[in-house]
Amino acid sequence: MDTPARTIVIGGSGYVGAAICRQLVRDGHAVVFTYCRNAAPARALAEELGVSALALDLAAEETIAPVLQKACEALGGLDALVIASGLATAHERAGQPLVPAWHEVAPDAFRRMLAVNVTGPFLACQWAAGRMAPQRRGRMVIIGSIDGVKPVPSPVDYACCKAALVGLVQSLAKDLGRHQILINLIAPGILDGGIAALLSPELHAEYVKHCTLKRVGTPAEIAAWAAFLIGTRNTYVTGQTVILDGGL
Ligand SMILES: NC(=O)c1ccc[n+]([C@@H]2O[C@H](COP(=O)([O-])OP(=O)(O)OC[C@H]3O[C@@H](n4cnc5c(N)ncnc54)[C@H](OP(=O)(O)O)[C@@H]3O)[C@@H](O)[C@H]2O)c1
């Protein structure tokens, strides 16, 4: 059994994040999660789990520390941070998400992807490390993607962000280790929902064809690993990218 951890889950209202919140609450951890634009499903999840939900837009840099501070106060401290937020495309056409060809990616959209998927998570880790270091313990997990570690068909701006997270985790792990803070990245392949809904049926089929286990993954499979990595049973895994892609 893990010792209960006071955990903030950024993007806990999403497809993967909700599975992580459910797993952590089942395991007896105290959880506060954040959402961004979709307050109604976040409120429903908070009610289901009996936990608090706070609004946070990682692109609004100046709000990250105050929101995390509020979450930390609600928890009475901080043992673990999970970053399960993410933006798969910053492009829209007629209000609908659109994955453009790489040569059509506009600079502003690229910058927004970096802000939400890289800069925001970095600032959140920076803030959390400041809380965890004095207590000489802590765990962080970021949800990356197979797109950042293997050459798969992928939106170029998204793949760049996910590859940046590999470097972020490796670099932070080196320094945070001296404070007994462990940080890891989980890189899922395609899952059966969430941002994968943006992908074409052809790409899904192609993935399943090349996947050793001949299926897409589930958010519960990601949540089980996130729970292990933030738990006290994880004593020696840090700076790693755990690839959960069914053997692509
Ligand atoms: N689903 C997959 O197949 C898959 C595969 C590989 C990797 N991943 C990774 O898993 C993570 C979660 O994906 P998902 O499928 O669960 O996506 P999702 O269902 O769209 O959830 C995304 C989460 O991020 C939050 N979010 C969006 N923009 C944000 C912002 N600007 N600031 C803070 N939070 C923001 C969303 O909040 P609101 O809904 O309230 O806006 C939501 O909680 C992402 O990092 C993604 O890259 C997913």
Side-chain angles (χ1 to χ4, degrees), residues 225-236:
W225 274 86
F228 170 73
L229 290 170
I230 69 136
T232 42
R233 285 171 300 167
N234 174 21
T235 52
Y236 210 49

Side-chain angles (χ1 to χ4, degrees), residues 193-215:
I195 60 158
L198 276 172
L199 303 174
S200 68
E202 293 75 26
L203 200 56
H204 268 263
E206 191 71 2
Y207 182 87
V208 171
K209 181 175 158 195
H210 293 289
C211 174
T212 304
L213 298 182
K214 299 292 171 221
R215 65 171 177 83

Side-chain angles (χ1 to χ4, degrees), residues 12-210:
S13 60
Y15 193 61
V16 172
I20 293 173
C21 289
R22 288 192 178 99
Q23 178 74 56
L24 296 183
V25 168
R26 264 200 307 277
D27 291 350
H29 301 296
V31 170
V32 170
F33 72 85
T34 75
Y35 61 95
C36 184
R37 287 190 292 188
N38 297 303
R43 271 198 296 269
L45 180 69
E47 201 169 311
E48 172 197 326
L49 298 179
V51 305
S52 300
L54 300 173
L56 172 64
D57 182 350
L58 286 170
E61 287 174 15
E62 68 291 350
T63 67
I64 295 173
V67 172
L68 296 183
Q69 177 64 34
K70 204 170 160 190
C72 187
E73 282 165 13
L75 289 165
L78 185 67
D79 302 306
L81 172 70
V82 179
I83 304 180
S85 51
L87 195 58
T89 175
H91 297 257
E92 288 186 358
R93 184 174 290 154
Q96 292 302 311
L98 166 78
V99 179
W102 72 267
H103 53 274
E104 291 171 346
V105 172
D108 276 353
F110 203 120
R111 276 190 284 272
R112 177 158 172 75
M113 290 285 281
L114 284 169
V116 174
N117 290 344
V118 183
T119 313
F122 167 67
L123 294 173
C125 290
Q126 203 177 44
W127 184 90
R131 297 299 166 285
M132 293 171 180
Q135 64 196 22
R136 291 194 56 75
R137 69 169 187 281
R139 300 281 188 280
M140 299 189 209
V141 169
I142 306 178
I143 309 300
S145 170
I146 189 76
D147 300 39
V149 288
K150 289 188 182 178
V152 292
S154 171
V156 66
D157 41 0
Y158 177 77
C160 287
C161 290
K162 295 302 185 177
L165 294 176
V166 176
L168 178 72
V169 161
Q170 287 178 174
S171 168
L172 291 185
K174 272 288 176 214
D175 190 63
L176 295 179
R178 68 196 164 96
H179 302 295
Q180 301 304 311
I181 299 169
L182 282 57
I183 176 167
N184 291 286
L185 186 73
I186 295 177
I190 294 181
L191 305 179
D192 58 3
I195 60 158
L198 276 172
L199 303 174
S200 68
E202 293 75 26
L203 200 56
H204 268 263
E206 191 71 2
Y207 182 87
V208 171
K209 181 175 158 195
H210 293 289

